Amino acid sequence: QVQLVESGGALVQSGGSLKLSCAASGFPFSRYAMTWVRQAPGKGLEKIAAISSEMITTYADSVKGRFTISRDNAKDTLYLHMDALKPEDTAVYYCAKYPSGTPSGFFGARGQGTQVTVSS
């Protein structure tokens, strides 16, 4: 079955950088679009970045220019490189799989999440 395992979350100072990883298994990773979503305390899920099976990337305005999504299909791994972190980036970060190679519509399975905390 689909399994997604996030890692790399940590406590970091404002302005710092962090790289999250998501190890995927149970499906042909390269064929599917993937996304990173986050949930801040008391708020709903926010989709922040997505990458298609063709490596086309999209970003939410809140992270554009600071975050970079990438994937290594040889390693079945999704990444999120985060620069210039702000306290408002504090959230649990999840990776999730789309049902096709295009990141449109609703995403499906997601992992257990990794906590990112940015101190001011």
Side-chain angles (χ1 to χ4, degrees):
Q1 71 277 21
V2 173
Q3 188 170 14
L4 301 167
V5 180
E6 302 93 340
S7 61
L11 171 63
V12 62
Q13 288 190 333
S14 182
S17 298
L18 208 56
K19 186 174 184 178
L20 306 183
S21 299
C22 169
S25 62
F27 65 101
F29 179 74
S30 65
R31 296 183 189 177
Y32 291 89
M34 300 292 295
T35 186
W36 285 98
V37 300
R38 67 185 181 186
Q39 187 165 26
K43 297 189 177 181
L45 284 173
E46 177 191 14
K47 187 177 78 173
I48 56 172
I51 185 167
S52 74
S53 59
E54 300 298 321
M55 303 292 191
I56 298 170
T57 58
T58 56
Y59 298 92
D61 288 343
S62 58
V63 306
K64 197 172 294 182
R66 300 188 298 122
F67 290 11
T68 303
I69 187 172
S70 62
R71 63 192 300 164
D72 185 336
N73 289 336
K75 296 182 178 180
D76 289 352
T77 301
L78 180 73
Y79 301 101
L80 184 68
H81 189 98
M82 306 183 290
D83 290 321
L85 283 161
K86 306 174 181 179
E88 51 263 44
D89 294 319
T90 294
V92 179
Y93 285 70
Y94 303 90
C95 64
K97 169 189 171 292
Y98 277 96
S100 74
T102 303
S104 62
F106 293 102
F107 51 84
R110 56 186 168 106
Q112 83 291 344
T114 187
Q115 176 71 47
V116 173
T117 303
V118 184
S119 63
S120 57

